[in-house]
Amino acid sequence: MIYHLDTVGSTNDVARGAEYHDGDIVWADFQTAGRGQRGHSWESRAGENLTFSVVLEPHFLPVTEQFMLLEAVALALYDFFAELGVDTKIKWTNDIYVGDKKAVGILIEHSYSGGKLSRTIVGIGINVNQREFSADIPNPVSLALLTDRNYDREALLKQFEKCLSCRYSQLKNGEWGKLQTDYHSVLYRRDERHTYTLADGTRFEGIIRGVKPTGDLIVEWEDGKQRSYLFKEIEFVL
Ligand code: BTN
């Protein structure tokens, strides 16, 4: 079921409540404490965008395969934008980009029980009708800016729910090879030379060659060697 709330702290926190179950979606018009990745906040103007959390109970998925869930979610967003006529790329690990601009942020939070995922909250912020963003958001874009029209947010949410259900079925059915291939095929900056920085400040030119099934990013250095990085170990220079 879809639950619509007015103002909350973070939909990810609300969706943790025991009253919500597998497949439920909690969306809010405004979050007073929206959270992003790497400890950042997520800013979104009241009533203009989609800020929501999907509750999943992926008991079937071993903890070691949890990156597949992230792939399924990112691909569902890719499919959703494609249906709207917007071509996107997935920026590792799970931002949705149009060109060099970010249209969607995803914050996935897992709980575990006995080596399996017990409950996962998939928090998603899609920039929909907002056309102006504060200067400290690095590179935002919205559907309205991309297509020069406004959208009915609830209709979009229902459309996304269908896209997610398709990709989640692939995950449940063990079609992991397909998810991995599709994720690779729309990976932002794959096979292109760009600049990256490492956590110790090292700056280098490299080429993304892919992502391991565990989620590590594989980057080829100028010496031809491929090295892999965990989230937080490497940053894109945009
Ligand atoms: C990021 O790109 O940094 C992730 C942003 C995730 C934002 C969404 S909005 C709905 C859900 N609730 C939150 O507090 N965060 C996520």
Side-chain angles (χ1 to χ4, degrees), residues 9-12 31 33-37 40-42 50-53 95 102 104-107 123-125:
S10 157
T11 56
N12 267 31
Q31 298 185 114
R35 292 201 303 277
Q37 293 170 18
H40 292 142
S41 58
W42 182 256
L50 276 170
T51 47
F52 62 98
S53 300
D95 291 332
K102 175 164 166 171
V104 181
I106 307 171
L107 181 68
I124 300 177

Side-chain angles (χ1 to χ4, degrees), residues 158-177:
K158 287 183 176 153
Q159 192 175 339
F160 171 72
E161 190 184 19
K162 286 198 190 118
C163 295
L164 182 62
S165 158
C166 287
R167 290 293 183 174
Y168 196 60
S169 296
Q170 289 180 342
L171 184 71
K172 263 190 180 157
N173 296 338
E175 295 175 49
W176 298 346

Side-chain angles (χ1 to χ4, degrees), residues 112-159:
Y112 306 93
S113 153
K116 299 255 170 170
L117 293 171
S118 56
R119 195 172 164 93
T120 296
I121 307 295
V122 179
I124 300 177
I126 306 178
N127 295 331
V128 179
N129 293 323
Q130 186 167 339
R131 290 173 192 246
E132 287 166 3
F133 292 86
S134 66
D136 47 350
I137 302 182
N139 52 348
V141 75
S142 65
L143 271 171
L145 285 172
L146 290 164
T147 59
D148 200 22
R149 53 161 287 206
N150 278 12
Y151 291 82
D152 174 339
R153 291 175 304 141
E154 188 168 9
L156 285 186
L157 185 58
K158 287 183 176 153
Q159 192 175 339

